[in-house]
Amino acid sequence: MTQAENAENAASGETAQNLPLLLAGAKRWFDDALTASMRAAGEQPLSSAQGQVFALLDPEGTTVAELARRLGVTRQTAHQAVHALVGLDLLEQVPDPSSARNRLIRITPEGARVHRRAQATLAVIEGVLAERIGVAEAAALRAALTAARGEPPVVAAP
């Protein structure tokens, strides 16, 4: 939405969507495209949260507690996501060599295959987005989203 459209909506009493809502909608678009594409390819589709688990795992493995911290969820929630992925043979739990109490969560060979395929599919989906909104616009979007933002500000609420 342009600045003029935002101003027109504000003048008419309509509320323009804020940036967090727009970003969430864009993420849903990618998630929906990935899910549908993976299903069409014969893969077991994963939820967005399950997909995030893969992105946050260290190559040597990650504890559930650390995974929960990275996801911003409770240990129980992280454990449930891990348990479902273990059941699909995409993740495995192995003893942590640095602590007898902990277990590490690692990607299985099947999980690595699915993850590579999902990453490649996302690259194609990003290409479709670039065709639809313009290559320069897609590059500008990526640049804006990867720019350093600094710490979240504390502002005076109007």
Side-chain angles (χ1 to χ4, degrees):
M1 184 172 290
T2 66
Q3 286 181 330
E5 290 168 326
N6 279 336
E8 184 178 316
N9 286 344
S12 68
E14 293 180 34
T15 303
Q17 285 190 332
N18 61 41
L19 190 55
L21 286 175
L22 294 171
L23 290 169
K27 183 178 181 320
R28 270 192 312 280
W29 183 86
F30 272 99
D31 289 345
D32 291 350
L34 179 61
T35 298
S37 298
M38 294 295 279
R39 182 177 284 122
E43 297 287 357
Q44 173 69 38
L46 303 179
S47 71
S48 175
Q50 289 172 324
Q52 281 186 312
V53 169
F54 281 92
L56 298 173
L57 287 173
D58 296 322
E60 67 278 0
T62 308
T63 65
V64 170
E66 177 59 20
L67 189 56
R69 187 191 67 73
R70 292 176 185 178
L71 288 166
V73 299
T74 65
R75 286 178 66 169
Q76 181 180 1
T77 299
H79 183 67
Q80 289 172 345
V82 165
H83 183 71
L85 292 166
V86 167
L88 294 171
D89 191 37
L90 301 177
L91 297 181
E92 63 183 354
Q93 295 184 27
V94 298
D96 184 345
S98 67
S99 170
R101 292 178 9 152
N102 290 330
R103 297 181 60 74
L104 294 176
I105 309 306
R106 292 192 317 204
I107 299 175
T108 64
E110 174 64 4
R113 182 195 67 77
V114 171
H115 185 62
R116 281 191 306 272
R117 192 168 197 189
Q119 292 299 335
T121 303
L122 281 170
V124 174
I125 293 166
E126 190 172 327
V128 170
L129 179 65
E131 290 173 6
R132 291 181 179 180
I133 69 170
V135 173
E137 289 79 0
L141 177 60
R142 176 173 282 284
L145 293 173
T146 56
R149 292 180 290 279
E151 290 296 315
V154 176
V155 300

